[in-house]
Amino acid sequence: MKKDLGVKPYTFPMPVLMIATYGEDGTVDVMNMAWGGVCAENMVALNIDEDHKTSRNIKARGAFTLSIADVPHIEAADFFGIATGNKLPDKFARSGLHAVRSEKVDAPVVEEFPLTLECKVVECQHTVYGFRVLGEIVGTLADESVLDERGKVDPTKLNAFVFDQFQSGYYAIGEKVGQAWHTGAPLMKK
């Protein structure tokens, strides 16, 4: 028997994404967000409140980077979701992380996060559902330590974690349990 839980945004897993931007004075700002992701092969969509410092930075600079948070940096990643750049101008400095300027967009790349998408803003949308930023992925950076022998990202080396919307927890990603477009193939023969 299923129980009706009402209207809840329950999907799992929910990525823990780090949006990095530069402020008007060149200060690095990073925001932890879960309401977004890939929306096309070379596009991402971010659904964020327009009053965030990150939103203002995105509109002013026309660029951002989007990184996958990893377990070794969970404390900083969570802090980026607790603290607001509107009230804490030294937010990034407090984290102890380091950033370098992207070579492709006007946004910082956080050195400690193992996978980063460099994005230019294609469109900012104002809808009845809120503020949405569409970004074109113009580059992808990965630490060599997370690559396999073929040069592809190995999820077990990425050491990423996901957000649990049910109980507000974080869960590490680990064990591979199947192969996409192969595990279900036997059912094609029925």
Side-chain angles (χ1 to χ4, degrees):
M1 180 91 158
K2 294 194 185 278
K3 180 178 179 183
D4 184 347
L5 300 178
V7 178
K8 304 285 184 190
Y10 283 170
T11 59
F12 187 81
M14 187 71 116
V16 179
L17 303 171
M18 301 288 111
I19 309 170
T21 59
Y22 284 122
E24 61 281 348
D25 62 355
T27 302
V28 174
D29 181 61
V30 181
M31 175 185 166
N32 176 329
M33 62 117 14
W35 299 94
V38 173
C39 64
E41 189 168 304
N42 66 334
M43 300 286 292
V44 294
L46 313 176
N47 299 300
I48 55 179
D49 287 334
E50 199 164 5
D51 62 348
H52 284 296
K53 181 167 181 46
T54 298
S55 299
R56 286 197 311 275
N57 294 347
I58 285 173
K59 288 190 280 186
R61 300 280 184 148
F64 59 93
T65 59
L66 191 62
S67 295
I68 302 297
D70 63 343
V71 173
H73 301 100
I74 193 169
E75 180 181 45
D78 189 56
F79 171 69
F80 292 145
I82 296 169
T84 172
N86 288 326
K87 295 180 181 173
L88 213 62
D90 66 340
K91 175 177 157 180
F92 185 72
R94 286 184 186 209
S95 75
L97 301 184
H98 307 89
V100 295
R101 183 172 290 280
S102 164
E103 293 182 13
K104 296 187 177 164
V105 296
D106 186 16
V109 174
V110 178
E111 293 181 302
E112 288 81 0
F113 294 141
L115 183 65
T116 301
L117 306 178
E118 298 164 292
C119 303
K120 71 177 183 179
V121 175
V122 173
E123 184 178 354
C124 290
Q125 301 173 340
H126 296 86
T127 72
V128 295
Y129 305 108
F131 180 62
R132 176 176 299 128
V133 177
L134 296 178
E136 179 185 358
I137 302 166
V138 297
T140 303
L141 303 170
D143 288 346
E144 288 184 15
S145 65
V146 302
L147 301 179
D148 66 14
E149 61 282 347
R150 297 172 298 151
K152 296 191 177 226
V153 175
D154 179 340
T156 61
K157 293 179 180 180
L158 191 58
N159 208 7
F161 61 94
V162 296
F163 177 62
D164 146 36
Q165 292 191 146
F166 314 112
Q167 299 176 13
S168 298
Y170 292 124
Y171 292 83
I173 299 173
E175 179 184 3
K176 182 176 181 178
V177 295
Q179 183 65 41
W181 304 286
H182 181 74
T183 301
L187 295 176
M188 295 295 292
K189 297 175 184 171
K190 284 190 169 192

